[in-house]
Amino acid sequence: MAEKKSGSAKTVDPAVTKPAVQNDETGAEATGIEPATEFDPSGAPHQVQDIDVDHPAVDNDPRANTTADQNRIDFNDPTLSGAEAVAKNLKR
């Protein structure tokens, strides 16, 4: 659906100005991005391939100058109390 502006403004076609969005079965807007089937060791999903990893706003080496201990992935265990979780982590 095009929207006309008065005066010398151009016609705006929403199909051109924003990506097509479909609703899923819950009514939420779908992104069109397929669910990830592979993950990096960091836990990042492999979903988007078309980014410039050398762009200054992108950290293409987030583990540089870190230790193995800093990069350890700890999963929360909902069966442990907070005190138990802290005690378990301090034993490492």
Side-chain angles (χ1 to χ4, degrees), residues 7-21:
S8 62
K10 295 180 182 179
T11 300
V12 176
D13 183 355
V16 173
T17 58
K18 60 183 176 181
V21 175

Side-chain angles (χ1 to χ4, degrees), residues 21-74:
V21 175
Q22 296 176 331
N23 290 337
D24 66 10
E25 62 276 357
T26 66
E29 290 184 354
T31 62
I33 300 172
E34 293 295 319
T37 57
E38 296 179 43
F39 295 85
D40 284 337
S42 67
H46 288 200
Q47 290 179 298
V48 179
Q49 302 296 325
D50 59 349
I51 62 169
D52 178 8
V53 296
D54 293 322
H55 189 280
V58 177
D59 184 357
N60 62 357
D61 192 5
R63 301 204 187 275
N65 303 315
T66 62
T67 67
D69 194 42
Q70 289 171 318
N71 289 294
R72 184 182 69 229
I73 297 174
D74 294 320

